[in-house]
Amino acid sequence: MTRRDELVAEVLDLLQRYQGAIETGTRDDIQTMVHLPVGYITEDDVQMRERYPFDPVKLREVTGFHHGKSDYDVIAIDETKAHVVISATRMRADESPIEYVSAFYILQKREGEWKIAAFSGIRTAA
């Protein structure tokens, strides 16, 4: 296993835990995986947020979100930063799709720990 493979495995571990927190956790659970403030790029603004901008509990209540099917492409990585393209489908428990998500995440490793530093996503209805 190359050093790049090891770093990618570390990043993918964080992103899988992050996905699990979206599916079953709370905003507080997710906040342990982001650097604060976290950079959030919306449709018309670039923001620095002092807390993670989405509440996964509300997401599940409002949309019926149960689980996601995600693909992660670590397009660039070094010892302290990673760029990741994410393609995902948010699903209901009955396996019907809710929406498609395309996102770009920047992760940083500080004090030996990978965390989400900035992200932007585009959601489209299924």
Side-chain angles (χ1 to χ4, degrees), residues 69-82:
K69 294 183 179 179
S70 302
D71 291 312
Y72 306 102
D73 184 8
V74 180
I75 59 173
I77 194 166
D78 64 20
E79 293 291 331
T80 60
K81 188 165 52 171

Side-chain angles (χ1 to χ4, degrees), residues 9-119:
E10 292 173 7
V11 164
L12 293 178
D13 176 67
L14 171 75
L15 292 171
Q16 289 165 352
R17 288 186 288 119
Y18 172 76
Q19 179 64 34
I22 292 172
E23 292 175 1
T24 62
T26 66
R27 180 182 284 167
D28 289 340
D29 296 328
I30 291 174
Q31 285 199 172
T32 67
M33 297 177 229
V34 300
H35 289 298
L36 297 176
V38 63
Y40 175 51
I41 301 165
T42 70
E43 291 76 10
D44 60 358
D45 197 12
V46 177
Q47 305 170 358
M48 295 303 291
R49 294 285 191 97
E50 292 300 325
R51 69 179 193 159
Y52 184 76
F54 301 108
D55 182 342
V57 173
K58 286 183 184 175
L59 172 72
R60 294 189 300 267
E61 289 172 359
V62 170
T63 67
F65 174 67
H66 181 265
H67 65 282
K69 294 183 179 179
S70 302
D71 291 312
Y72 306 102
D73 184 8
V74 180
I75 59 173
I77 194 166
D78 64 20
E79 293 291 331
T80 60
K81 188 165 52 171
H83 293 175
V84 182
V85 174
I86 301 170
S87 299
T89 304
R90 290 187 174 151
M91 310 290 287
R92 295 177 186 89
D94 68 2
E95 294 296 318
S96 62
I98 300 166
E99 64 184 355
Y100 306 106
V101 179
S102 175
F104 184 78
Y105 279 50
I106 298 172
L107 284 72
Q108 291 180 320
K109 191 175 193 180
R110 298 184 196 166
E111 300 175 7
E113 190 173 4
W114 287 103
K115 292 192 177 190
I116 298 162
F119 65 101

